[in-house]
Amino acid sequence: MPTVVEPKLIAGNSNLPLASSIARRMSMHRGMTVDLVNARVERFNDGEIFVEVFENVRGEDMFIIQSTSNPANDNLMELLIIADALRRSSAQRVTAVIPYFGYARQDRRTKARTPISAKLVANMLVEAGIARVLTMDLHAAQIQGFFDIPVDNLYASPIFALDIKNQFRDSMSDLMVVSPDVGGVARARELAKRIDAPLAIVDKRREKPGEVADMTVIGEVAGKKCIIVDDMVDTAGTLCKAADLLTSSGATEVHAYISHGVLSGPAVERVSKSVMKSLVITDSIAATDAVKACENIRILPTAPMFAQATLNIWNGTSVSSLFETDTLEPIYEGFFKG
């Protein structure tokens, strides 16, 4: 068996800027150049995806960087086909680095005769030859149990905590962390503990999917700077309504920290017109031009965290150490200072 000298990265087309950033960060940590493997991932005229790897990967520890974001099906197929190409090229191990795990919202049967698509995707990834998955802020933590391979689920909350302590360093005592629904309380509580802030909840009731019938604030938010925390923002309708409710309940400012900025349909326009002073997302999903141009949307980098996690997997050290703010702060090398 050939000796694995360096980790090798290969990227699909879903988020090439993030893949390049991860490679640069790994180069800094390693003190030597870590490039993306030379390959082509393209489509035939009928939409079929074709992959060709131009470098020898026999016996190598391969990491595929690919979010399964919009277009979810195309990006998922790219991931599966890249994995198959690497397996057939005798790669020693294939790890899928999936910053945003698509289909995660379909993690259970909500009514009769519906699928559990997240489980189906897990089965497909394993069958394609993927030996390990690295992702961030799964919509439901139990999705890790859908896999019979190791799954490392990173958290954006330590990055958010660093940014909040920088952005609100003169008014930390005025902060109130808000969960936009009862199901997200654990996520919000985690961030609240990190920044030593109280917690409130927006209780929402839906008459049908995608439409909120009624919302109520549980907790005293008057005079507070509210920070809404969630794992993803899609059309931003519920988020903007929650911001309106908090403002009408006496909040002086409303900000949102959301791990994955899906931001589909009218989302960017809604955010730009919202009472929210800022929406902070990560770069787990490649930002569109509209997102980049929106004045009250900020994007935090995840490349330092994913680069370190990839190196930790490669050299067999702890990934869970990256759950701690104290561990991430030096990795971000003063990004949030001043």
Side-chain angles (χ1 to χ4, degrees), residues 167-235:
Q167 295 291 322
F168 302 95
R169 56 185 176 276
D170 296 327
S171 56
M172 292 296 293
S173 60
D174 297 332
L175 298 184
M176 170 78 80
V177 175
V178 180
S179 173
D181 53 46
V182 175
V185 169
R187 182 180 296 105
R189 185 186 296 119
E190 169 68 16
L191 180 61
K193 288 173 62 178
R194 289 180 185 276
I195 64 173
D196 193 24
L199 178 66
I201 303 168
V202 173
D203 179 34
K204 62 184 179 185
R205 301 183 184 185
R206 297 181 186 271
E207 290 186 345
K208 55 184 177 179
E211 293 187 11
V212 177
D214 187 39
M215 303 179 78
T216 306
V217 178
I218 303 174
E220 183 54 58
V221 299
K224 295 289 188 178
K225 294 181 179 180
C226 290
I227 296 177
I228 302 173
V229 182
D230 209 351
D231 66 310
M232 69 174 70
V233 52
D234 192 348
T235 60

Side-chain angles (χ1 to χ4, degrees), residues 290-333:
V291 171
K292 294 175 184 176
C294 187
E295 293 184 355
N296 57 343
I297 296 179
R298 285 196 299 118
I299 302 174
L300 299 181
T302 57
M305 180 172 65
F306 276 110
Q308 189 62 56
T310 299
L311 287 170
N312 288 5
I313 291 172
W314 168 70
N315 60 31
T317 55
S318 171
V319 173
S320 62
S321 62
L322 298 175
F323 299 167
E324 300 302 323
T325 305
D326 291 343
T327 306
L328 275 184
E329 193 164 18
I331 294 173
Y332 272 78
E333 298 175 348

Side-chain angles (χ1 to χ4, degrees), residues 92-103:
Q92 184 184 64
R93 180 177 68 168
V94 178
T95 299
V97 181
I98 311 174
Y100 170 71
F101 189 93
Y103 283 100

Side-chain angles (χ1 to χ4, degrees), residues 100-118:
Y100 170 71
F101 189 93
Y103 283 100
R105 284 176 281 187
Q106 300 183 48
D107 63 312
R108 63 194 183 281
R109 296 186 68 190
T110 55
K111 57 182 69 174
R113 296 177 295 281
T114 57
I116 306 178
S117 301

Side-chain angles (χ1 to χ4, degrees), residues 46-124:
D46 63 353
E48 285 186 10
I49 295 166
F50 176 73
V51 173
E52 183 176 7
V53 182
F54 296 119
E55 298 180 25
N56 179 30
V57 297
R58 183 180 298 274
E60 298 287 2
D61 198 356
M62 299 298 304
F63 294 83
I64 308 171
I65 303 172
Q66 176 81 335
S67 283
T68 50
S69 50
N70 184 36
N73 297 330
D74 286 358
N75 289 329
L76 176 59
M77 282 305 299
E78 279 189 12
L79 175 58
L80 295 171
I81 293 171
I82 294 171
D84 186 72
L86 295 175
R87 181 181 63 173
R88 294 178 187 278
S89 301
S90 302
Q92 184 184 64
R93 180 177 68 168
V94 178
T95 299
V97 181
I98 311 174
Y100 170 71
F101 189 93
Y103 283 100
R105 284 176 281 187
Q106 300 183 48
D107 63 312
R108 63 194 183 281
R109 296 186 68 190
T110 55
K111 57 182 69 174
R113 296 177 295 281
T114 57
I116 306 178
S117 301
K119 172 58 177 171
L120 174 62
V121 170
N123 291 343
M124 293 165 67

